[in-house]
Amino acid sequence: MNIVLCGMMGCGKTTVGGALAARLGWDFVDTDRLIEEKHGKIADIFAQKGEAYFRALETEVAASLADGGADRVVSIGGGMALKAENVRLLKQGGRIVYLQASKKTLLGRLLGDTSRPLLVGQDLSARLDELLAVRSSAYERASDLAVCVDEKTPASIADEIIEKLGL
């Protein structure tokens, strides 16, 4: 089985994913890194080809992960779980865990971050309100398990996921 981590940008998917993979002795895969290795920086993809093109690349990655083995922890981009096809593909070989973070936690982690195309040139607080309004329910629907990450260490979150999944 694979464990797929979903949630808002800044919730800790990559950091928790690395800790979880180390605890389990599994491989760690970050879908954004896979896309960047093959197609260049995400910000450049958004700027040059648009969000729709990037979302299609995410579906390609989800399909490759569905066909490509088990015992991996997979961190997916913040928008990847919004598309039903991606969720279906990711669930073929795994369980999806929603890393829930409060707006306060996200603000603290994302303040000053200029690497995220959906936040550039935006009022961060207002933009997070917009994204959370759309994405929170989608993450809940997509996930098999939700874990709150507020005021927890990556190691304690990894341990909680392992315990709740019975691994």
Side-chain angles (χ1 to χ4, degrees):
M1 139 172 121
N2 293 320
I3 299 172
V4 178
L5 303 178
C6 77
M8 282 292 296
M9 58 187 95
C11 73
K13 297 179 298 285
T14 300
T15 304
V16 171
L20 182 58
R23 287 259 202 282
L24 293 169
W26 292 7
D27 290 332
F28 175 68
V29 176
D30 182 306
T31 61
D32 285 345
R33 284 194 189 137
L34 290 176
I35 290 170
E36 286 187 332
E37 287 170 5
K38 191 171 180 182
H39 300 279
K41 291 186 179 282
I42 291 171
D44 293 341
I45 296 168
F46 266 74
Q48 295 165 8
K49 297 190 177 181
E51 184 176 356
Y53 180 81
F54 175 75
R55 298 300 174 202
L57 295 176
E58 286 184 318
T59 301
E60 287 178 20
V61 169
S64 72
L65 290 170
D67 293 338
D71 294 343
R72 292 175 298 193
V73 175
V74 180
S75 168
I76 64 172
M80 198 167 183
L82 303 179
K83 188 173 180 182
E85 176 69 2
N86 294 342
V87 172
R88 183 188 67 74
L89 290 164
L90 293 167
K91 282 192 172 200
Q92 281 181 2
R95 308 270 307 274
I96 298 178
V97 178
Y98 171 22
L99 300 184
Q100 291 177 309
S102 67
K103 180 181 173 187
K104 178 182 174 183
T105 295
L106 296 171
L107 278 169
R109 293 177 181 178
L110 295 170
L111 195 62
D113 186 339
T114 59
S115 68
R116 300 175 192 268
L118 292 177
L119 301 180
V120 173
Q122 305 278 332
D123 172 82
L124 181 58
S125 180
R127 184 63 175 141
L128 281 176
D129 285 337
E130 292 170 11
L131 291 170
L132 285 166
V134 171
R135 292 182 173 193
S136 294
S137 60
Y139 296 147
E140 289 170 9
R141 282 190 308 274
S143 66
D144 299 296
L145 169 70
V147 174
C148 179
V149 300
D150 295 339
E151 299 182 27
K152 295 178 185 172
T153 66
S156 69
I157 298 164
D159 289 341
E160 185 175 343
I161 293 168
I162 289 168
E163 179 184 328
K164 288 185 174 182
L165 291 178
L167 300 173

